[in-house]
Amino acid sequence: MKQKTEFATPHSDHRSENDAYLTLAALCAQTEHCQWEMQEKMRRWEMSEEEQARVMQRLIDERYVDDERYARAFVKDKVRYNKWGRRKVEQALWQKHIAEDIRQRTLDEISEEDYLAVLRPLLKQKRKSIKAANDYELNQKLARFAMSRGFTFDIISQCIHIDDEELVEEDS
């Protein structure tokens, strides 16, 4: 007859409070994570809410988790590397339950010039692959593409207007 141990069964992923803390601290030491992500992991591990709260507080106190630091890194990476616009980044932060004030503050740190610097080459590249009967149709397709990437209409219209002027100058 097998003896029952204190450890979780293979079918359960329940972890002790200390195991959870050590696992999450190691994860946060590698890359930035937000509070919501850590709480989701603990929920999947079937930890009680009290245990989750204690582990989360310890992670915050020891600066493993900081939503503002996470949001800054997230915004910078998504704009620079994924070439996302403000609206798409804002939506992603909202889905990760980042507080409104942190979202706005970190998004406001990205200047209009930074968004333009990302969107211009993106539109220039996309322009080459779009089939359109006329400039109006081309610009509509470019605008839809840019909006799907999360850019605001004011930034899009600046880029499309500038690109049209550059094309006219190149043709002259």
Side-chain angles (χ1 to χ4, degrees):
M1 188 161 157
K2 289 186 178 181
Q3 287 186 334
K4 200 171 191 179
T5 63
E6 289 181 48
F7 301 107
T9 64
H11 301 292
S12 171
D13 202 11
H14 183 78
R15 295 181 188 217
S16 74
E17 199 171 311
N18 195 51
D19 285 347
Y21 167 76
L22 293 172
T23 301
L24 296 177
L27 188 63
C28 290
Q30 295 171 358
T31 57
E32 289 291 342
H33 291 279
C34 64
Q35 288 182 42
W36 180 79
E37 290 171 335
M38 299 297 96
Q39 288 169 327
E40 281 300 299
K41 286 192 179 300
M42 288 188 282
R43 271 193 278 281
R44 281 192 300 254
W45 295 338
E46 300 172 358
M47 294 177 66
S48 73
E49 289 190 21
E50 294 80 22
E51 290 173 317
Q52 288 179 40
R54 286 190 299 268
V55 170
M56 184 55 65
Q57 193 57 55
R58 190 170 168 195
L59 290 169
I60 291 168
D61 290 345
E62 295 178 16
R63 305 227 352 107
Y64 282 109
V65 174
D66 180 336
D67 278 357
E68 188 152 353
R69 188 179 63 214
Y70 169 82
R72 258 193 199 90
F74 186 87
V75 169
K76 192 188 304 182
D77 283 355
K78 294 303 178 190
V79 171
R80 184 177 296 152
Y81 301 114
N82 295 50
K83 308 211 181 307
W84 285 6
R86 181 184 176 100
R87 290 192 190 278
K88 191 166 184 172
V89 175
E90 187 173 21
Q91 178 69 21
L93 288 172
W94 177 81
Q95 288 177 324
K96 294 201 179 265
H97 301 266
I98 302 297
E100 173 73 18
D101 61 320
I102 293 173
R103 285 197 317 258
Q104 292 311 312
R105 201 167 37 250
T106 55
L107 285 165
D108 289 346
E109 290 174 5
I110 305 293
S111 70
E112 187 173 296
E113 289 76 32
D114 292 338
Y115 286 119
L116 288 168
V118 167
L119 185 56
R120 278 189 187 119
L122 203 58
L123 288 177
K124 197 170 192 172
Q125 185 65 36
K126 185 68 175 172
R127 185 182 288 265
K128 295 174 186 174
S129 67
I130 291 181
K131 306 276 188 267
N134 54 46
D135 285 347
Y136 177 78
E137 186 181 333
L138 174 70
N139 288 342
Q140 291 296 310
K141 288 181 177 184
L142 286 172
R144 274 196 301 276
F145 167 74
M147 289 171 87
S148 75
R149 297 300 289 253
F151 289 93
T152 56
F153 192 74
D154 57 326
I155 301 281
I156 295 169
S157 60
Q158 285 181 51
C159 285
I160 290 176
H161 178 70
I162 290 168
D163 286 349
D164 283 345
E165 288 176 0
E166 287 174 2
L167 286 176
V168 169
E169 290 170 10
E170 288 172 7
D171 291 344
S172 303

